[in-house]
Amino acid sequence: MFNKKVAALLNEQINKEFYSAYLYLDMNNYFQDRGLDGFANWYMIQAQEERDHAMLFYQYMQNNDIKVTLEAIAKPDKTFKKDMDVLKAGLEHEQFVTASINAIYEEAYKAKDFRTMQFLDWFIKEQGEEETNARDLITKMELFGNDPKSLYMLNQELKARVYSAPSLVLD
């Protein structure tokens, strides 16, 4: 029998991951409108990753006989005026997701729910990578974003990013 608070937090995380996908699709729209298809690609892949993360939580819950309750997904509420606004909002959002996953881990620890803690280990590592990638993108933009030729090259670099689905074995 799963701890009710851990189960509720896992369920909430599904919604947060789907919201993350919506947010990144909105960021993709921003860069599509700006003609920066590489940046748009980067955020499209972010959206794909977040959808997969939601499904990993969903499948974990189902595999462990935890009832999943799907909630409405909020519309992204950010308005971006500059390219850097998007990048900083992306980092801020990843930090929010990290805090959310850490909170689930903390509750699982209190409940001695070692299975969920083990499941979350992958997400904790993943969030470290996500925050690093977001910070690196901000750094590159700060270094090169004001120069049109450099922005073009950074856009080309981001266009080359490809999606690879997570490989996580679920109990």
Side-chain angles (χ1 to χ4, degrees), residues 13-75:
Q13 192 64 33
I14 292 170
N15 187 274
K16 289 176 183 176
E17 298 292 340
F18 278 127
Y19 174 79
S20 297
Y22 272 35
L23 179 64
Y24 288 134
L25 287 173
D26 198 42
M27 292 173 173
N28 166 279
N29 282 336
Y30 170 86
F31 283 114
Q32 283 290 350
D33 290 346
R34 291 261 300 119
L36 293 169
D37 56 348
F39 283 84
N41 176 63
W42 200 87
Y43 284 104
M44 179 61 76
I45 289 172
Q46 287 298 108
Q48 291 171 316
E49 285 184 3
E50 301 304 341
R51 284 191 308 261
D52 279 353
H53 294 172
M55 293 309 298
L56 288 169
F57 278 98
Y58 182 88
Q59 190 65 55
Y60 177 77
M61 291 179 67
Q62 284 192 331
N63 288 353
N64 288 283
D65 294 323
I66 306 170
K67 180 168 175 43
V68 175
T69 304
L70 297 175
E71 302 292 342
I73 301 166
K75 178 181 175 181

Side-chain angles (χ1 to χ4, degrees), residues 110-128:
K110 288 178 191 175
K112 296 185 180 182
D113 181 352
F114 303 112
R115 181 183 295 169
T116 299
M117 289 166 58
Q118 184 179 26
F119 168 71
L120 292 172
D121 284 343
W122 182 86
F123 286 96
I124 290 169
K125 181 178 182 268
E126 173 73 6
Q127 283 309 120

